Amino acid sequence: MFHKIAAVIIVAAVGSIGFWILTRPLSVSATAFAAHTPDLSNGKAMFFAGGCASCHVTPNQEDKTRLGGGLALKTPFGTFYAPNISPDQNDGIGAWSELQFVNALTKGTSPDGKHYYPAFPFPSYQRMNPNDVRDLYAYIKTLPAIQGRAPEHDLFFPFTVRRGIGLWKLLFLDQKPFKPDPSQSAEFNRGAYLIEGPGHCAECHSPRNFLGGIIEAQRFAGGPDPTGEGWVPNITQHALKDWSLKDIEYLLKTGTDPEGDSVGASMAAVVRNMGQLTDADRAAMAAYIKSLSPVAGPKKSEKH
């Protein structure tokens, strides 16, 4: 009996150690980057491409530079609240170092070494060029400092166990930066970068499995809105085969589709951001979207 109990204890100890090792938060080394002079104009472009204001602006006010957070994101796992990312020293990210910001965006790791939940789209932000992230950090630091903190996330067990996100990352965070396709044009690769990286378009326009990971076989094929309300459209050529490049560019700039209808819900906020980009960037994004192979997405249920 003693030997059986000892064996159980040993197995439990080994399992606990293994879990702790496998779920350790990821980080970038302080020596990974060379000296960099921030480009605020590029940081501003990344701010709009990344849609930072869409989630982090304080709700119910017009100034989209007041990033006090508080927006509620309802999901099957509970309700997430977007945090304050203004330069406030106490409630925002004013006390963060550049490296801590890079780790947050590309590794999903907080300054105190904890996992962020993937309601924060770091699986897409990991594709970003580190210098673009550094420019974004510098730009956000120029915005108003806003006092106040968002409510704590209200999640269901076992999703309250933040350390378990390390296992999720093993499945869905591949730690691969964006790599241009040498067979494609510079415009195509710029669009691919903006869509797959800062734009994080797949995060909403793809169906997810029961763990909340994107179903790669149906990437960009639409599905239930992650908030649980409404349906996000398919943006592959399965749905957009009759759209021209100009049609896609015009929607990204104005929010109006070829039939004269306007986008609604969260996409309206996306368009407000995309409308701030250059015509060249929107044309590049359109070129990449137009290249997406046709994929049939999930079928709408009665509630959608």
Side-chain angles (χ1 to χ4, degrees):
M1 177 64 72
F2 172 79
H3 295 296
K4 291 182 178 179
I5 294 175
V8 170
I9 293 174
I10 291 171
V11 169
V14 170
S16 297
I17 293 171
F19 173 80
W20 196 254
I21 293 173
L22 289 173
T23 60
R24 67 189 185 282
L26 307 168
S27 63
V28 180
S29 169
T31 61
F33 307 126
H36 176 68
T37 301
D39 179 343
L40 291 180
S41 63
N42 183 53
K44 184 177 182 180
M46 291 300 105
F47 179 82
F48 287 117
C52 304
S54 297
C55 282
H56 293 282
V57 70
T58 306
N60 302 318
Q61 52 91 30
E62 292 300 318
D63 187 348
K64 302 306 180 185
T65 67
R66 299 179 64 83
L67 307 177
L71 179 70
L73 303 172
K74 296 181 180 180
T75 76
F77 311 103
T79 302
F80 296 93
Y81 291 92
N84 183 331
I85 62 165
S86 80
D88 186 83
Q89 290 286 318
N90 297 312
D91 299 329
I93 66 170
W96 288 24
S97 70
E98 181 187 75
L99 182 63
Q100 288 172 332
F101 186 80
V102 172
N103 278 322
L105 257 72
T106 64
K107 303 297 182 183
T109 300
S110 71
D112 59 355
K114 296 180 180 178
H115 293 297
Y116 281 123
Y117 288 99
F120 176 36
F122 54 81
S124 289
Y125 292 155
Q126 69 174 329
R127 311 289 182 216
M128 292 180 68
N129 181 303
N131 285 341
D132 283 347
V133 178
R134 298 164 84 183
D135 290 345
L136 173 60
Y137 168 80
Y139 175 73
I140 289 177
K141 297 279 276 194
T142 70
L143 301 180
I146 308 300
Q147 293 183 339
R149 296 193 178 188
E152 294 294 322
H153 300 320
D154 183 14
L155 307 178
F156 309 120
F157 182 81
F159 309 113
T160 50
V161 181
R162 194 179 286 260
R163 186 79 184 196
I165 297 300
L167 295 178
W168 190 95
K169 288 180 176 179
L170 286 175
L171 296 173
F172 304 112
L173 192 71
D174 61 24
Q175 301 187 66
K176 294 179 181 179
F178 173 78
K179 289 186 177 180
D181 183 344
S183 69
Q184 296 287 351
S185 67
E187 179 185 57
F188 174 94
N189 280 309
R190 174 65 174 175
Y193 174 72
L194 291 172
I195 294 289
E196 297 283 4
H200 62 279
C201 302
E203 301 290 340
C204 283
H205 284 279
S206 305
R208 294 178 179 269
N209 59 30
F210 72 100
L211 293 174
I214 287 175
I215 300 173
E216 288 298 330
Q218 293 182 309
R219 191 174 182 85
F220 296 113
D225 191 300
T227 64
E229 298 181 4
W231 193 267
V232 180
N234 187 323
I235 59 171
T236 74
Q237 287 303 288
H238 180 82
L240 302 185
K241 62 182 182 298
D242 295 328
W243 287 42
S244 69
L245 289 171
K246 292 298 182 183
D247 289 336
I248 299 173
E249 291 176 49
Y250 191 70
L251 182 134
L252 292 175
K253 184 175 183 177
T254 68
T256 303
D257 68 19
E259 297 179 352
D261 294 327
S262 297
V263 299
S266 58
M267 188 61 192
V270 172
V271 169
R272 281 197 296 271
N273 291 310
M274 295 304 173
Q276 302 299 315
L277 300 180
T278 64
D279 290 341
D281 275 348
R282 284 191 295 271
M285 295 173 75
Y288 183 67
I289 291 171
K290 191 64 181 172
S291 78
L292 296 175
S293 299
V295 177
K299 295 182 178 179
K300 291 185 180 181
S301 63
E302 290 185 2
K303 69 176 182 179
H304 296 111

